[in-house]
Amino acid sequence: MANISESVPVATDSSRSGLHRLMQRKSSIAFLMTLPLILLIGVLVAYPAGYAIYLSMLNKSMVRFVGLGNFEFLMGRDSFWAVVYQSCLFAVTAVIFKAVIGFVVAHFVHNIPAKGQRKWRGMLLVPWVIPPAMSTLAWLWLFDPSYSAFNWILALFGMDPVPWTGDTSWARFSVILVNVWIGAPFFMIMYLAALKSVPEQLYEAAAIDGANWWQRIWYVTLPMMRNIIAITALFSLIVTFANFDIVRVLTAGGPLNGTHVFATWAFRVGIESGDIPLGAAVSLFMVPILAVAAVFILRDINKRGNEA
Amino acid sequence: MTDAAANAAGPSRTIQYGSMSRDRKWALRWSYFFLVLFAIFFLMPPIYMLITSLKTSAEISAATNPWWVFSPTLDNYVALLTQNQFLVFFRNSIVVSVCVVAVSMVISVFAAFALARMRFWGSATLATGVFLTYLIPDTLLFIPLFKMFAFVRDTFGIELMNHWWTMIIVYPTLTVPFCTWIMIGYFASIPKELDEAALIDGATWMQTLFRIFIPVALPGIIAATIFAFTVSWAQFLYPLAFTTSTDQLLLPVGIITTLIKGDVFNWGQIMTGALLGAAPPLIIYAFLMDYYIAGLTAGATKG
């Protein structure tokens, strides 16, 4: 790369030392430029992440080292396994629905004439732009036990009011619904960008070969979009698995702790009940799934980096 | 053989063309139909926020149609915008977001330039590390940070808990990795000839960065700035965990903790506050939509 700049002093007598100095200067400038980033990541991300592991091995008053005692304690409690179950159910269901809705909506937007697409895309991305805590408040109000606007519509059709956040199963449905509402537009945008990158000739070739619309999606669109679909789903899985805002605002974990996910339960245990080590232990249970997703994403990025 | 195939294809082809264009027309109609349905689903909560914010408390608790405003009023807006507490939340949020945007852009532009152009020992590892950091969620870090703040207080006598400005220190951990990542992508797409020419002409690295890279990668910088602003404006967990006094809260936490008092929900004001809290990102999005979307897709399509 910067060979040309380095080759300039070669013409002079003091070439060797000049070149050497230049090289040294370049790498030291580069190091100084990245130093704030390294410090930030080191002090406020890497260190706390390691510290969390240490914290999780202390007892409640943080004076005695208990090893894996907190993890053992968690493993033996039904309420913890309920949180594990709900976290997985929440993340997997929400990501699947987000991916499917995003895919379908992206196709509809892609189908209409190009000049109207911008307007529709702009409208459909609004849920992603609003801060999640704020839009969840609107959902909380839509789900209100006595003034629910949804139940008012249901009543028009003579149906019974639905306990949106009052009953465990319905509350689980509600938090997933809100998550899908917030996240599906992101999938839509990613898939739309991917759809635009599929060459038109492939569809023409498929049409000439007599492929119907389903075969075109299955044999042309999906293989061409495979990478984007996978990486978007993995990203979303990480974010959904670590979700806090929606569950916290909508149900605060209730009713009867039925909707707690790792993040909200760690907050309840660690900050609100003051058992910091146990809270740290709860949040660390998110690491394995995050690590698996991260490995797959990195593999994909390295692969594409090599192709380029 | 070929003749037979051509003959067989001949008549059916014209029919297929006709049916294809008819299919197209129907596909278009169905597309619009479903797009309208999805638009209703996606826009209903913000519209309901607006509807509720225009109602009086009496109308909210009346048994009338909740989807219609019978006597619109701006009382909720007046009440909130003249309330000192709400203005403090707004000011805190604006100061924090602006500072976080400035800090993260400075850190990430310099780091991305060094990582994209000035290969040095460990730069590839560092770039991967930056990306990995982006995958570490805030929900994993808030408990150790909580404890670290107590440690800082005990050792250095600096109280980080319960101050809104602490967020300026912690928010960049959420914005810098992604901003750096997309800036690396934008910088890497600039042709090498451009900066080599500058270096031949005797430009220093700093001049190359400021005179060439930043102007050329301006769309990327705008996209990263928008990202940093939306993330720091929307952040909810850190201020909830680290601040408690009402004069130190940021907007999202402030609305949720102060407007909801026990079991008394003042929904008119809550929805007004939520709408005002959602307004800054929405306004930026309305004007800079293309940059916003470029930033969203850059993470996965570049790099």
Side-chain angles (χ1 to χ4, degrees):
Chain A
M1 28 168 318
N3 296 332
I4 295 172
S5 66
E6 285 145 22
S7 66
V8 175
V10 172
T12 66
D13 268 346
S14 61
S15 66
R16 243 197 125 64
S17 66
L19 188 93
H20 191 68
R21 212 177 304 142
L22 202 66
M23 280 298 286
Q24 246 186 350
R25 244 184 54 207
K26 185 190 139 196
S27 65
S28 50
I29 291 174
F31 180 71
L32 282 179
M33 280 177 160
T34 47
L35 192 61
L37 175 81
I38 296 170
L39 281 179
L40 181 83
I41 292 180
V43 175
L44 290 171
V45 181
Y47 178 74
Y51 191 45
I53 298 171
Y54 171 72
L55 275 178
S56 69
M57 296 185 193
L58 300 177
N59 72 342
K60 184 172 178 178
S61 50
M62 285 183 283
V63 287
R64 199 162 48 83
F65 187 81
V66 293
L68 297 176
N70 284 321
F71 294 94
E72 249 171 65
F73 173 75
L74 284 175
M75 298 286 217
R77 281 191 34 175
D78 287 342
S79 54
F80 171 73
W81 290 109
V83 171
V84 174
Y85 170 76
Q86 168 61 11
S87 292
C88 296
L89 180 80
F90 173 73
V92 172
T93 320
V95 169
I96 290 173
F97 275 98
K98 280 189 269 194
V100 170
I101 292 178
F103 189 77
V104 170
V105 177
H107 265 277
F108 289 137
V109 175
H110 190 63
N111 266 352
I112 65 173
K115 67 178 192 307
Q117 286 186 7
R118 209 181 110 88
K119 196 178 63 192
W120 283 102
R121 197 181 57 170
M123 267 199 290
L124 295 170
L125 193 62
V126 164
W128 179 260
V129 180
I130 301 175
M134 300 293 92
S135 49
T136 312
L137 269 180
W139 281 101
L140 184 63
W141 172 223
L142 283 164
F143 289 150
D144 188 86
S146 26
Y147 300 107
S148 169
F150 288 147
N151 286 346
W152 185 85
I153 293 177
L154 290 180
L156 283 185
F157 296 101
M159 281 185 267
D160 288 334
V162 169
W164 296 103
T165 56
D167 169 79
T168 305
S169 314
W170 276 108
R172 286 178 175 169
F173 169 80
S174 301
V175 288
I176 291 171
L177 175 70
V178 176
N179 193 290
V180 169
W181 178 81
I182 289 172
F186 173 68
F187 278 80
M188 187 267 292
I189 287 295
M190 300 299 283
Y191 291 171
L192 194 59
L195 276 177
K196 300 234 174 282
S197 69
V198 179
E200 196 60 34
Q201 291 94 312
L202 291 182
Y203 290 112
E204 284 163 15
I208 289 167
D209 289 346
N212 59 26
W213 69 272
W214 170 249
Q215 286 167 322
R216 283 204 294 272
I217 287 179
W218 190 253
Y219 292 109
V220 180
T221 315
L222 279 178
M224 290 299 285
M225 287 173 64
R226 204 175 51 203
N227 266 337
I228 296 283
I229 291 176
I231 208 158
T232 313
L234 283 169
F235 263 118
S236 180
L237 190 67
I238 290 180
V239 175
T240 314
F241 206 73
N243 183 282
F244 176 80
D245 303 14
I246 296 171
V247 177
R248 174 73 196 183
V249 175
L250 202 62
T251 63
L256 298 170
N257 295 335
T259 53
H260 264 306
V261 291
F262 283 124
T264 53
W265 209 50
F267 189 88
R268 167 69 50 85
V269 171
I271 307 284
E272 288 178 336
S273 310
D275 193 340
I276 288 180
L278 199 63
V282 171
S283 65
L284 279 175
F285 273 94
M286 283 189 284
V287 171
I289 192 144
L290 297 181
V292 170
V295 165
F296 278 105
I297 292 177
L298 274 182
R299 217 176 55 174
D300 175 79
I301 282 171
N302 286 336
K303 208 167 60 192
R304 275 190 294 162
N306 294 340
E307 279 165 13
Chain B
M1 181 68 198
T2 31
D3 280 348
N7 283 340
S12 71
R13 191 189 261 168
T14 47
I15 294 166
Q16 242 189 355
Y17 261 84
S19 78
M20 259 172 84
S21 77
R22 207 168 56 230
D23 281 354
R24 269 263 158 76
K25 210 174 271 173
W26 274 107
L28 201 63
R29 277 177 200 158
W30 280 113
S31 295
Y32 278 118
F33 174 73
F34 282 109
L35 278 178
V36 169
L37 282 189
F38 278 113
I40 292 172
F41 172 62
F42 283 133
L43 293 179
M44 173 189 55
I47 289 174
Y48 195 59
M49 272 188 202
L50 181 67
I51 291 174
T52 310
S53 74
L54 295 172
K55 290 181 183 178
T56 58
S57 301
E59 194 182 333
I60 288 170
S61 49
T64 51
N65 181 352
W67 297 95
W68 191 254
V69 190
F70 292 96
S71 47
T73 166
L74 288 175
D75 286 356
N76 290 319
Y77 291 88
V78 174
L80 270 189
L81 292 173
T82 53
Q83 190 185 346
N84 207 17
Q85 201 180 38
F86 185 79
L87 294 175
V88 168
F89 299 157
F90 222 101
R91 191 210 58 199
N92 288 350
S93 259
I94 287 174
V95 176
V96 166
S97 298
V98 169
C99 291
V100 169
V101 166
V103 169
S104 14
M105 287 320 291
V106 169
I107 295 180
S108 58
V109 165
F110 278 116
F113 178 67
L115 290 174
R117 272 301 195 269
M118 309 163 79
R119 295 280 156 82
F120 57 95
W121 184 82
S123 61
T125 319
L126 188 58
T128 314
V130 167
F131 188 71
L132 272 184
T133 320
Y134 172 58
L135 300 179
I136 298 179
D138 50 355
T139 40
L140 196 63
L141 299 177
F142 73 101
I143 288 177
L145 282 173
F146 190 86
K147 196 72 189 72
M148 279 167 68
F149 290 167
F151 175 78
V152 169
R153 180 188 54 219
D154 295 343
T155 358
F156 304 106
I158 307 166
E159 178 63 274
L160 290 168
M161 282 309 273
N162 203 7
H163 286 301
W164 59 267
W165 46 260
T166 308
M167 303 309 146
I168 301 175
I169 304 169
V170 291
Y171 281 8
T173 57
L174 305 167
T175 56
V176 165
F178 189 68
C179 289
T180 309
W181 184 251
I182 63 175
M183 287 320 297
I184 291 176
Y186 275 99
F187 284 161
S189 69
I190 295 174
K192 289 218 169 73
E193 290 77 15
L194 216 57
D195 46 306
E196 282 167 357
L199 289 170
I200 291 172
D201 289 346
T204 63
W205 285 104
M206 280 296 169
Q207 283 170 325
T208 322
L209 173 60
F210 283 102
R211 297 275 178 84
I212 296 176
F213 277 73
I214 291 181
V216 172
L218 201 61
I221 289 179
I222 297 174
T225 307
I226 296 173
F227 170 83
F229 180 82
T230 16
V231 165
S232 54
W233 188 269
Q235 174 59 23
F236 181 66
L237 172 59
Y238 285 162
L240 188 68
F242 301 147
T243 52
T244 42
S245 346
T246 45
D247 60 332
Q248 302 294 338
L249 298 178
L250 301 189
L251 197 56
V253 181
I255 290 167
I256 284 168
T257 55
T258 62
L259 292 179
I260 299 176
K261 297 181 184 94
D263 282 340
V264 186
F265 286 67
N266 187 349
W267 279 111
Q269 282 196 17
I270 294 174
M271 287 298 106
T272 311
L275 202 61
L276 291 173
L282 278 176
I283 291 168
I284 290 175
Y285 169 68
F287 285 101
L288 300 168
M289 192 171 92
D290 294 325
Y291 294 107
Y292 190 100
I293 289 172
L296 269 188
T297 47
T301 52
K302 282 214 177 74

